[in-house]
Amino acid sequence: MPILQLEHFDLSTLYASGQCFRMKPQPDGAYRVLAGSKMTTVTPLGEHRWQFDFAPEDAPYWQRYFDLGTDYAPLFAEIPAEEAYLRQAAACCEGLRILRQEPFETLISFICSQRKSIPAIRDCVERLCAAYGTPMAQGEFAFPTAQRLAAATEAELRTYGLGYRAPYVLGTARLVAEGRLDLSACAALSDAALQEQLLACPGVGVKVAGCVMLFAYHRLASAPVDVWIQKVIEEEYHGKTPFPAWGGRAGWYQQILFYYRQHVVRQ
DNA sequence: GTCCAGGATCGGA
DNA sequence: TCCGATCATGGA
């Protein structure tokens, strides 16, 4: 199994980053990472070295998932000096990255996310996987396919902690299962056209669409504003969003600010 | 008991 | 176009 030396990579940071909900800390300090129907275990060896445990044929998949083809050093170094708060925040998340997650999994997960804490989202997503996902090795389950979720009933979904979001999940799963929304084809769309497609899903507003664009389609100009980012805008940017001025770096900077505000500043 | 969480939707102004 | 109420659920 490959051992990689990675300067800007840290699973504890990614685990807490709020972009993925199926990373699981293990008792030995490793992380089990599930995505779609794939699974890997990543063990810290110290000195920025990480051991990846996955099937040999999955190497390209995880390379892409963790965005290992991108050198993040310039992404930290190029933050303008005049952006003092952003630089201060970035100094606290050296291992942060923007993942490339499965679109359907990301879409459903963030529909579930509305007005939930990150631990609550993890629980909810995990229950959906256990109920509708294909069993994998070591007691884990794949993320459900659109077909499986679309075949559920609203009442059934509610028993997994979805609450009022149950019809949203069902409606969106049906859009995908019936081919009325082609998430693979969406990868070729412009940012605006992609957002339009996502907003057509029940339970998807600008914020959830923004998360899917950033965390699944790697649209780095997308900077979703949740309650934490709204606090940052009010506290540090005089209530005026800085994201449009940041262009193609907006999503990356947003993720730095989110991590910093939630895990370092807190309150 | 209250308050809050990676919000969206609806009705009414 | 904008605003307020409302929507389940779990944890602090």
Side-chain angles (χ1 to χ4, degrees):
Chain A
M1 290 299 112
I3 294 173
L4 300 179
Q5 176 93 26
L6 300 164
E7 291 301 319
H8 291 284
F9 180 89
D10 180 39
L11 275 184
S12 67
T13 305
L14 291 171
Y15 169 73
S17 73
Q19 56 182 315
C20 54
F21 306 105
R22 300 204 71 202
M23 290 190 183
K24 305 179 182 182
Q26 304 298 112
D28 63 352
Y31 284 81
R32 182 170 291 174
V33 182
L34 297 105
S37 60
K38 295 188 182 297
M39 174 169 64
T40 183
T41 301
V42 187
T43 306
L45 302 178
E47 306 293 319
H48 299 217
R49 294 166 72 240
W50 299 82
Q51 178 174 321
F52 289 74
D53 181 357
F54 48 66
E57 63 270 23
D58 288 343
Y61 181 88
W62 292 112
Q63 276 250 346
R64 177 182 148 78
Y65 178 89
F66 288 115
D67 195 26
L68 296 184
T70 299
D71 179 8
Y72 275 69
L75 294 181
F76 284 99
E78 290 169 4
I79 299 173
E82 58 268 30
E83 299 288 355
Y85 185 78
L86 190 54
R87 289 187 74 95
Q88 174 185 332
C92 296
C93 37
E94 287 184 23
L96 193 60
R97 295 178 157 259
I98 305 293
L99 303 174
R100 293 177 192 268
Q101 301 183 72
E102 301 276 348
F104 182 68
E105 175 172 343
T106 310
L107 179 56
I108 296 298
S109 296
F110 276 95
I111 288 174
C112 296
S113 80
Q114 64 170 271
R115 284 185 64 121
K116 277 182 181 295
S117 66
I118 290 173
I121 301 165
R122 285 192 193 110
D123 290 344
C124 186
V125 168
E126 203 52 38
R127 294 171 77 179
L128 286 181
C129 292
Y132 302 105
T134 304
M136 303 169 67
Q138 303 174 43
E140 302 290 355
F141 295 85
F143 193 85
T145 62
Q147 288 72 22
R148 285 298 303 275
L149 279 181
T153 66
E154 188 180 317
E156 210 175 279
L157 289 173
R158 280 181 183 272
T159 66
Y160 302 112
L162 279 176
Y164 63 89
R165 308 162 193 80
Y168 300 158
V169 168
L170 190 55
T172 295
R174 285 180 175 163
L175 275 181
V176 175
E178 294 166 7
R180 288 183 286 155
L181 173 60
D182 185 341
L183 291 174
S184 298
C186 279
L189 298 178
S190 67
D191 285 4
L194 173 58
Q195 186 198 41
E196 185 183 345
Q197 290 288 301
L198 294 172
L199 290 178
C201 299
V204 176
V206 171
K207 191 270 174 183
V208 168
C211 288
V212 177
M213 292 172 69
L214 183 59
F215 304 138
Y217 293 97
H218 214 77
R219 303 302 174 98
L220 298 177
S222 175
V225 177
D226 74 321
V227 294
W228 294 96
I229 290 296
Q230 188 57 43
K231 287 178 188 173
V232 173
I233 292 172
E234 288 164 5
E235 294 163 357
E236 306 294 336
Y237 297 93
H238 309 291
K240 185 176 183 302
T241 173
F243 296 121
W246 287 340
R249 299 270 158 79
W252 168 232
Y253 292 169
Q254 179 273 161
Q255 196 56 13
I256 290 170
L257 293 174
F258 177 84
Y259 183 91
Y260 182 71
R261 184 61 180 79
Q262 200 189 43
H263 296 287
V264 182
V265 178
R266 301 195 175 100
Q267 289 188 337

